[in-house]
Structure formats: C-alpha cells, structure tokens
Amino acid sequence: MPSNSAAWSPLSDSERRVALEVLLHGPLARIELAHRLSLSTTSLTRLTRPLVESGLLRDAPETDTTARANGRPMRPLDIDPELQHFVGIKLTGSSVYGVLTNLRADVIETRRVDLASHEPADVADVITRLVAELGTYTDEITAIGIGLGGAVTGYTHVSRAPFLSWRNINFAELVQDRTHLPTVISNDLDALMEAEHWFGAGRDVRNFATLTIGAGVGGGLVINDSLVVGVDAGLGLLGHFPLDPLGPPCPEGHRGCAHALLSLPSIQTQASLALGRPTSYDDVLDLAVSGDPVADRIVGNAARAFGVLIAAVANIALPELVLLTGEGIRLADVGWERLQDSIRENRNPEASKVDVRVIADDPILWARGAAAVAIQQAVLGGLDIER
C-alpha cells in the first residue's frame, strides 16, 4: 500500500477522474459510477482494480439503497477519507486559526493562536508551531493550505494583504521551509468557495455565488463548475458596486456603494451617529430585534440594500444558488423578510426564485476552506507531495 503522501501521485488521468468522482460524490455503486463517467463496466473495472489494490478506493458497507444487479446487491466504492490529512490556516490581523482535516475536509481538530507580530517570518513561525500541534493527531500531514484576505498569485505569493501590510511576499516558501510540507496560499474567499464547491452546499451545483459582509463586502462565483478568478481577485471590487445614489459615502468616496451600506464599520458609524452613543454592530441588530425604531430603520435599509446586491448578482451571473456568510451575516437573519422583498422587487417577475442560503460565520469555516485548497492541489496533481 502506498504511503499517504503518494496516494494520488502515480494515477493516470482516467484513474484520477474515477477516484475524484468517488471522493466528491461517494460512496457510489459501480454501475452508478460507470454511468456518471460514461464508461463501460469493463473499462470501469480495469480502472478501479489498481485503485482498490492500492487502498485508495475500498468497498463500502451495503445500504438499503445499494444498487442491485441480477437481484444481488452491489457493494459501493468509497474513498478512505483518513488516507490523507491536511492542515488549513485562516490568517487574520490578530489571530491564526488552524484545522486538521481528512481527505473530505472533515474537521478533526482545531487550534487558535494570537499574533504578536505581522513580520512574515514571525507569522510563519507561529503557523509552524500550530501545524506541529495539529500534527500530533495524525501519523502524517500531506500539505498545508493558508487563506488570507488579499491578492495571491500562483498559490505561493501574497501580492497584497492590507491587514498585514504585506506586499509581494513568497509566504508559501517561508512556511514550507520551516515545516518541510507542501504549502499553498489562497485568497480566503476563494478558498471558502472551493470548499463549498467540492464538499459543501455547492457540491452538486454548477453555478453558484457567495457574498460576504464583514469589514468589507466580498463576492465569488463558480460558473460551469469552475471558480472565476482574475488578476483583480482579492481587491474587494464588489464592495464598491453602487446600490443607492443617495446613500452615505465609503472611504473611497463612492456614494451608496455596497461597502458604505453593508460593511460593519459603516453600520456601526450610522448607528452611533443616529443614537448619539458608541454602538457595536451586534448592539444595532439587538436593538432592531427589540423594536428600537432608529436601529430598525438602519438595519432595514441595510437589508434592502443587501437584497439589491443579491438581485444584481443573480441577474448578471444567473447562479442556481447564492450563499451568504461573513462576520456580519447576522444582518441577513434579522432583516430576512426585507432582504427577500428587495430581491423580488429587483428581479423580473417571471424570473425563478433565487435560492439564498445563509452559512453561519466561523473562523474554522474559513480555515477548512484553506485545507480544501490544499486537498484540491494534492488530488489534482498541483503539489510536489514527494518532498
């Protein structure tokens, strides 16, 4: 049986395609797997035999829904999710959040460490210690994924990360040199998108969008089963999408943009001025829930603006699903009815209803996203996992 780190490296393209289908959608009966991949049963048998012999695929227990041939149950194929383990890191300006996951991005263990310095070498040292702690829960770690807010190129270089004051840093190399593990860097929202695409709410959805509200406003798209990326990814461009020409200005001077109406700092500022006292984001929402008219007006305006943004994304990108998350996503829960009314008002009456789902925000969710990127790179052959 191959070592964990070598599990995917010797596969042919056809074998990898079979194993990936089982990873993402298994356990699958062989007859269903053949149908999904448009393969004959003979071809599938030829491809799966070495995968089973190597331990990458295994026969799963029979269930009541197991397919039958000639009246006899056919044992489904599955991946052993414990065959490989990955560390995912969510990097913020104040903390490092880490998770240990298996091959299906199931979280096994978590850690959180405070950051005392933003110097890249110091941050890499903190991550190294955290990886060592998580490594005590498994025999072997295959790779590390790191997600952060900013622009990343080539899965290695942080082009810009304003909250850390970083520019043009090969941070993957710093971590890799210390841990001796393959390391990939990604924008944190892109990482979350990939995790939802492979292992979450977007697993069986070819086209979906994710919108986040927090310190800023972000968005991502998966179209035709591929994450939409570009040179300007990580710049927070959606945050300056115009929503209300009469709204307040953002720090960049854009009046009534998404950032000005939906970001946590903007809502806190509006509420503090209107109430005549410093008010936190959660306080504004709590006051709105309790019926305070000033807070309710601010939250209602923001919820309607959020509906305008969701409708615009749905009208332009035509996603089947829109996921909402981020530090400030409680706004969607508190203002749900007004958000939904706003979506309907800004859509063609004959358009289908937008499937909108809220995902509770948690740093571990974002760390898991980073692990998912490492899983993708290992599975798809984008990592040198023989190092």
Side-chain angles (χ1 to χ4, degrees), residues 43-123:
S43 295
L44 182 69
T45 300
R46 175 178 54 81
L47 291 170
T48 57
R49 183 180 294 114
L51 301 180
V52 173
E53 291 173 351
S54 72
L56 182 56
L57 295 186
R58 63 183 182 179
D59 286 316
E62 298 171 8
T63 68
D64 292 339
T65 59
T66 299
R68 291 176 173 265
N70 298 322
R72 304 172 66 180
M74 298 176 61
R75 298 187 68 182
L77 284 172
D78 201 3
I79 287 278
D80 178 1
E82 306 307 322
L83 189 66
Q84 291 180 317
H85 293 91
F86 299 80
V87 169
I89 300 291
K90 163 62 174 174
L91 188 56
T92 75
S94 59
S95 303
V96 178
Y97 297 88
V99 298
L100 177 71
T101 79
N102 63 15
L103 191 51
R104 281 204 167 107
D106 299 318
V107 175
I108 298 167
E109 189 60 38
T110 68
R111 284 290 186 276
R112 174 187 174 276
V113 181
D114 290 333
L115 277 182
S117 165
H118 286 175
E119 284 297 315
D122 294 338
V123 177

Side-chain angles (χ1 to χ4, degrees), residues 1-8 82-85 138-140 142 385:
M1 180 174 176
S3 69
N4 289 355
S5 62
W8 294 79
E82 306 307 322
L83 189 66
Q84 291 180 317
H85 293 91
T138 180
D139 292 335
E140 181 178 352
T142 298
I385 55 177

